[in-house]
Amino acid sequence: MSRVGKDPVAVPSGVEVQMSGQTLSAKGSLGTLRLVVSNEVSAVIADGAVTIAPKNDTKHARAMWGTTRALVNNMVTGVSKGFSVTLEINGVGYRAAVQGNTLNLQLGYSHEIAYPIPSDVKIVCERPTLINVSGADRQRVGQIRAYRPPEPYKGKGIKYSTETVRRKEGKKK
């Protein structure tokens, strides 16, 4: 039995959750998010909470039970409070700058990366090595780190401000 899945998702005041067919939508002060619920699970909205249950007892249905519950929880939290992440850039010559609707990243590649900022995400660069990303969709907020995750030998790359990079010793002569 899924420990995550059996816990219902409480819907806070100011958030409206609707189910139409297989699509679950959450609308709040920070926007609207949609999720297509898997055929393996069923979602029921009752008493100010969303309850997810598996339709059968297969391994895939049990896996989707907890996953779907976590995605619904992220949707409800995103449209009510939102998600915010602070990213630090480490490396010589590594920097970021917001110009209009694009985030320009220089991350040691032979070219500059122009990341178009989505309309539902807000990106602010306080310093060239510090990026604040906030928005309602948790997946979109965390995407920028994937351009250059921190490497373990010199620690160069984009890391979360709360993350500690496990450093490795280099090769010996």
Side-chain angles (χ1 to χ4, degrees):
M1 177 172 266
S2 174
R3 293 182 187 177
V4 174
K6 66 183 175 185
D7 193 24
V9 178
V11 179
S13 61
V15 175
E16 184 181 321
V17 178
Q18 294 179 338
M19 184 81 177
S20 60
Q22 287 292 108
T23 305
L24 188 73
S25 62
K27 184 177 181 182
S29 61
L30 294 177
T32 304
L33 293 175
R34 287 179 182 75
L35 172 71
V36 177
V37 179
S38 172
N39 292 329
E40 303 282 336
V41 296
S42 63
V44 178
I45 304 164
D47 301 329
V50 180
T51 307
I52 310 294
K55 288 185 178 176
N56 50 39
D57 201 31
T58 63
K59 189 172 185 178
H60 188 256
R62 289 193 317 263
M64 292 307 294
W65 183 18
T67 301
T68 305
R69 192 262 177 206
L71 292 173
V72 170
N73 187 40
N74 288 342
M75 273 184 14
V76 170
T77 305
V79 296
S80 61
K81 298 180 202 168
F83 292 101
S84 181
V85 138
T86 304
L87 301 170
E88 293 177 359
I89 301 176
N90 295 323
V92 177
Y94 286 26
R95 59 183 170 270
V98 175
Q99 293 174 341
N101 280 344
T102 59
L103 174 69
N104 293 324
L105 298 167
Q106 294 176 345
L107 300 174
Y109 296 119
S110 61
H111 60 283
E112 188 174 286
I113 298 168
Y115 176 74
I117 300 173
S119 60
D120 58 340
V121 175
K122 183 182 174 205
I123 298 179
V124 177
C125 286
E126 296 168 3
R127 298 191 313 253
T129 58
L130 194 70
I131 306 170
N132 283 329
V133 185
S134 58
D137 193 350
R138 189 171 190 175
Q139 182 180 357
R140 285 181 176 254
V141 167
Q143 279 181 333
I144 297 173
R145 182 181 181 273
Y147 282 111
R148 179 74 94 165
E151 54 96 17
Y153 295 101
K154 292 185 179 178
K156 292 163 55 168
I158 302 174
K159 74 176 193 76
Y160 298 115
S161 62
T162 57
E163 181 182 16
T164 54
V165 179
R166 297 262 331 253
R167 301 294 294 272
K168 291 183 179 178
E169 188 176 348
K171 70 178 186 180
K172 297 184 174 108
K173 272 193 169 180

